[in-house]
Amino acid sequence: MTAEVLRVPPELSAREPVEQRAPGGGRDAVRLLVSRGTAEPAHHAFRELPGLLSAGDVLVVNTSRTLPAALDGRTGDGRGRGEPVVVHFSTRADRRHPRPEAGAGDWAVELRTPDGRGSTRQRAGGPAGTVVRLPGGARLVLRAPVDPGSVRLWWARATGAPVLDVMRRHGRPIRYGYTDRDQPLSAYQTVFAVGSPDGGGSAEMPSAARPFTASSVARLVSRGVQIAPVTLHTGVASAEAYEPPYPERFVVPPSTVWQINAARAGGGRVVAVGTTAVRALESAAGADGRLRAASGWTDLVVTPERGVRAVDGLLTGLHEPEASHLLMLEAVGRAAAGGAAFGDALCRAYAEAVRHRYLWHEFGDLHLVLPS
């Protein structure tokens, strides 16, 4: 797979939700590219999804709720004007976090520079000891890089007010420069989102599930397709070429394990809705392929070499050529193709998406990978 084949023109970025692009339409008015094994991709509407699945199949969905994780701030200790920044809150650590430098209650944060158009651009974080003042009297102190090889994300200690309270009062959804304007938080919640007991959630929307509506879920269920929940609280999107995802909190409940095991026993397929659902399921799958209830932190990176054990198919958005998600997509595609290399088929699918003007990013179109 090469970036040249997968170069995405800027005009193919979805700049606003589909219901605003096509007034009168709903969230499900997006397109769906379908790959079956190594066959040529086919073009569908997302509303045709129930007809592409079978009774007994299981769709595994991420129930994590999107947080208003972007907050305006200013560096400095209050004795001077400081530099305006936008803080993207990524992940809140607890005592079980696998990185020893992450103290319980610390947040992994990314500092970004306002671009004057309502969005932000990248900047280096740090240095250690930097103070960021937030609304509501809260402050952050940067402690150490999340990854010693990068200065993008930093562990930060918050004082003055609980971060989740400050988010609720002053935060907004994380937004990038390819979108036209801010959207309400409701535009970034999926129909499957539920609140977490500790108030946690995802820094960015588990966007593969965005096109689902109550009506589309009802049509799937009436066809005999089951819906099984997992939770994975996502951090901020990777900004570096092939940068692997950081540890994230997940839950695969016993009820979902039972559903999947029963479906597989009956010949049903397990189709993950989004790369987050894949990461959660594969983190709960043993080397023997058996799925077990699990929760905690996962630092699993799914690659074609590692393969997948719990997933037969994947419904996902269209990813940038540099995104590490494509390695996971290739792993699922290889399994769907019966072990055959899927890289060439993935390149063909993405070239087809560009040719037919599919739209990228969280408000864009979808790609369904199924067994041949």
Side-chain angles (χ1 to χ4, degrees):
M1 184 183 315
T2 67
E4 182 178 357
V5 173
L6 300 179
R7 186 171 294 124
V8 181
E11 64 269 20
L12 295 187
S13 294
R15 300 190 177 281
E16 58 188 359
V18 63
E19 58 270 28
Q20 297 175 19
R21 299 195 300 268
R27 287 187 172 207
D28 57 358
V30 296
R31 290 182 291 173
L32 180 63
L33 187 70
V34 179
S35 295
R36 292 182 181 271
T38 57
E40 291 299 315
H43 302 279
H44 292 268
F46 177 78
R47 289 168 178 162
E48 298 175 63
L49 179 64
L52 298 169
L53 300 174
S54 303
D57 289 344
V58 180
L59 281 176
V60 182
V61 302
N62 186 359
T63 63
S64 182
R65 187 170 181 82
T66 309
L67 298 173
L71 280 163
D72 292 322
R74 189 175 287 274
T75 60
D77 59 7
R79 291 191 290 268
R81 289 183 56 82
E83 173 196 353
V85 293
V86 175
V87 183
H88 287 179
F89 284 85
S90 179
T91 304
R92 181 176 57 179
D94 61 21
R95 292 183 182 88
R96 295 192 294 169
H97 194 280
R99 299 282 179 90
E101 65 273 15
D106 284 358
W107 283 84
V109 301
E110 179 184 17
L111 302 189
R112 295 178 67 91
T113 298
D115 65 2
R117 300 186 300 274
S119 184
T120 60
R121 60 178 179 269
Q122 283 182 253
R123 70 185 292 282
T130 296
V131 176
V132 182
R133 290 172 285 144
L134 299 172
R139 290 188 178 198
L140 289 176
V141 179
L142 303 189
R143 296 179 52 249
V146 170
D147 183 343
S150 171
V151 292
R152 185 172 74 93
L153 289 174
W154 283 72
W155 290 116
R157 183 72 46 85
T159 61
V163 169
L164 289 170
D165 288 349
V166 179
M167 280 188 196
R168 281 191 287 269
R169 294 183 180 184
H170 304 285
R172 59 187 180 276
I174 288 175
R175 173 196 160 202
Y176 293 111
Y178 52 77
T179 56
D180 282 340
R181 58 188 176 278
D182 285 345
Q183 298 287 342
L185 185 59
S186 59
Y188 290 88
Q189 301 294 7
T190 75
V191 70
F192 304 112
V194 295
S196 177
D198 64 358
S202 288
E204 298 182 7
M205 172 176 56
S207 55
R210 189 183 190 278
F212 286 88
T213 63
S215 175
S216 62
V217 172
R219 291 198 305 273
L220 286 160
V221 172
S222 67
R223 187 174 173 82
V225 176
Q226 300 178 62
I227 309 293
V230 297
T231 301
L232 186 136
H233 295 319
T234 68
V236 296
S238 169
E240 307 294 337
Y242 300 106
E243 181 183 42
Y246 294 98
E248 294 168 320
R249 282 190 299 150
F250 80 103
V251 178
V252 177
S255 59
T256 290
V257 173
W258 183 90
Q259 275 183 281
I260 289 174
N261 288 341
R264 283 213 154 128
R269 299 170 297 183
V270 178
V271 179
V273 178
T275 57
T276 61
V278 175
R279 196 181 200 201
L281 285 176
E282 293 297 322
S283 297
D288 58 0
R290 290 190 58 194
L291 193 65
R292 299 169 175 84
S295 64
W297 291 88
T298 177
D299 56 5
L300 176 67
V301 179
V302 178
T303 64
E305 292 72 29
R306 187 265 185 192
V308 291
R309 302 164 183 168
V311 173
D312 302 305
L314 172 62
L315 178 68
T316 185
L318 295 164
H319 302 288
E320 290 288 354
E322 298 84 5
S324 60
H325 297 85
L326 290 179
L327 296 175
M328 179 186 290
L329 186 55
E330 191 170 346
V332 176
R334 178 177 293 185
F342 186 68
D344 289 344
L346 180 57
C347 279
R348 289 198 306 273
Y350 268 57
E352 189 77 353
V354 170
R355 188 178 307 116
H356 286 265
R357 314 296 288 174
Y358 278 66
L359 296 181
W360 260 249
H361 300 303
E362 65 267 29
F363 298 136
D365 297 311
L366 294 185
H367 184 197
L368 176 63
V369 178
L370 288 175
S372 53

